[in-house]
Amino acid sequence: MTETLYDAVVLAGGAARRLGGADKPGVRIGGRSLLDRVLGGCAGAATTVVVGPRRPPARPGGWGRAHPPRRGPRAAPPPGRRPQTLYDAVVLAGGAARGLGGADKPGGRSGGRSLLDWVRGGGAGAATTVVVGPRRPTARPVVWAREQPPGGGPLAALHAGLRHATAETVLVLSADLPFLGADAVRELVAAAVGAEGALLTDADGRDQPLVAAYRAEPLRREIALLATEHGTLTGLPVRLLTAELSLARLPYHEASFDCDTWQDIGAARARIRDDRTVLDEWIAAVKAELGIELDVDRAGLLDLARDAAHGVARPAAPLTTFLVGYAAALRGGGPEEVARAAGQAAALAARWAEEDGDGSGAPA
């Protein structure tokens, strides 16, 4: 059916004698003025003219044109310059997992995500992420590599991964770090700049060389020297490498927690579901699953959901937060647009709640 173009004229200047001279177009029904409800009905108009005293429109726009003409799909905003990426990441995911009876440790799940995806999420700022090990499904794109022979140990795997890294700093991670966060990664990368690398220490003060950021040049140099000295990298311990490097040490105990046994995986699963942190873990999991990066104002969205549930109806809570997210995406996305849309919806919920029990129809 062919769409018919039209303009709209809304008469909003009557005396409203039956309302005692009240501003009838401004009377709220369901948190919105009668005028805004009428304007919503004629949202498809090319031009909407309101005849009457000026009132604040519910949506941006000049008076006499509360709704802009309908246009085609919104063009994507021009891409801004991406922040400079300072590092590549190499994730070692080919170990034997003897403490798990040979199970696929990187594919083991905690909080609904594989351990490999948890690690990949912590290093999401890398320009290139290389995973050394058998191919597995991942939530985000990676470059795959394999040491030769397979199962040759961490130094052989690291050497294979470095062939695909080009940044001056390389983040090196094992694939069993469920609590590695972006904050710890940023600290590692920053600390590596002033030395030949930086690594985390665990709760007992022990070095964790596979939760570390290294300067690429000295890392490649020392690996080449070890290969020359021993004739091979297969089976060599990582401590031979770190003993030759000048390293900073950071005490991020939780971020360095790794899963070597089924008991460790059970502890990680229980920690993720702890009432004090479950929402943070769930938000991180959902963002990773959807492939988005966004600082979520959890308190603000929960307040909005509460107001919608209490002031309107309980099912309004999830529906309202969905609509807020959709509106923010249409406006270009980002935390600022989410906050703006949430503020508008919260104000609407407050106006709606003000009318509760008021059957007079008088302005709220």
Side-chain angles (χ1 to χ4, degrees), residues 18-359:
R18 294 183 180 179
L19 297 180
D23 176 25
K24 182 161 67 170
V27 171
R28 291 173 183 164
I29 303 293
R32 299 168 62 200
S33 70
L34 289 173
L35 176 58
D36 278 326
R37 286 181 168 274
V38 173
L39 293 176
C42 56
T47 300
T48 300
V49 180
V50 179
V51 183
R54 288 177 178 261
R55 302 173 178 86
R59 304 183 185 183
W63 187 253
R65 197 177 198 177
H67 295 273
R70 181 176 289 179
R71 301 180 178 88
R74 172 184 289 189
R81 179 177 298 176
R82 293 182 60 187
Q84 182 179 9
T85 302
L86 300 176
Y87 67 95
D88 290 335
V90 175
V91 181
L92 308 186
R98 294 181 180 87
L100 299 177
D104 177 23
K105 181 163 65 170
R109 294 193 174 273
S110 179
R113 301 166 67 196
S114 70
L115 290 175
L116 178 56
D117 278 331
W118 279 110
V119 173
R120 174 67 184 90
T128 299
T129 296
V130 184
V131 178
V132 185
R135 289 177 178 259
R136 305 169 176 88
T138 57
R140 303 185 184 196
V142 300
V143 175
W144 292 97
R146 200 72 168 104
E147 75 276 21
Q148 295 299 330
L155 280 184
L158 177 55
H159 181 56
L162 281 174
R163 296 193 186 104
H164 301 274
T166 59
E168 294 182 0
T169 300
V170 180
L171 182 70
V172 177
L173 304 170
S174 61
D176 59 351
L177 303 166
F179 304 123
L180 179 71
D183 290 345
V185 168
R186 283 192 291 268
E187 291 290 334
L188 278 172
V189 171
V193 174
E196 291 182 318
L199 52 75
L200 298 190
T201 58
D202 65 15
D204 296 322
R206 293 174 297 193
D207 288 352
Q208 299 297 309
L210 300 185
V211 197
Y214 299 98
R215 298 272 301 282
E217 188 278 326
L219 183 64
R220 288 190 171 95
R221 179 194 69 217
E222 294 303 326
I223 288 177
L225 289 173
L226 286 171
T228 300
E229 179 181 353
H230 295 273
T232 181
L233 295 173
T234 299
L236 295 183
V238 181
R239 67 175 180 272
L240 294 180
L241 172 66
T242 56
E244 301 300 326
L245 296 171
S246 173
L247 301 174
R249 287 164 171 79
L250 305 178
Y252 272 80
H253 301 157
E254 184 173 279
S256 64
F257 177 88
D258 57 358
C259 294
D260 291 328
T261 66
W262 286 114
Q263 183 178 3
D264 293 336
I265 288 181
R269 288 172 173 169
R271 160 69 176 76
I272 282 174
R273 286 166 172 77
D274 186 280
D275 287 345
R276 294 167 294 181
T277 57
V278 66
L279 285 180
D280 290 332
E281 300 290 355
W282 173 246
I283 289 170
V286 172
K287 289 195 296 185
E289 189 73 16
L290 299 179
I292 59 175
E293 293 294 335
L294 179 70
D295 292 330
V296 177
D297 181 7
R298 186 182 71 182
L301 289 174
L302 289 177
D303 286 346
L304 171 60
R306 177 202 62 208
D307 294 343
H310 293 172
V312 184
R314 291 185 66 183
L319 295 173
T320 303
T321 51
F322 164 77
L323 292 171
V324 162
Y326 189 77
L330 289 180
R331 296 170 180 176
E336 296 81 7
E337 291 301 338
V338 172
R340 186 161 73 94
Q344 289 177 282
L348 174 61
R351 296 196 303 268
W352 186 292
E354 286 174 1
E355 301 169 18
D356 189 31
D358 181 7

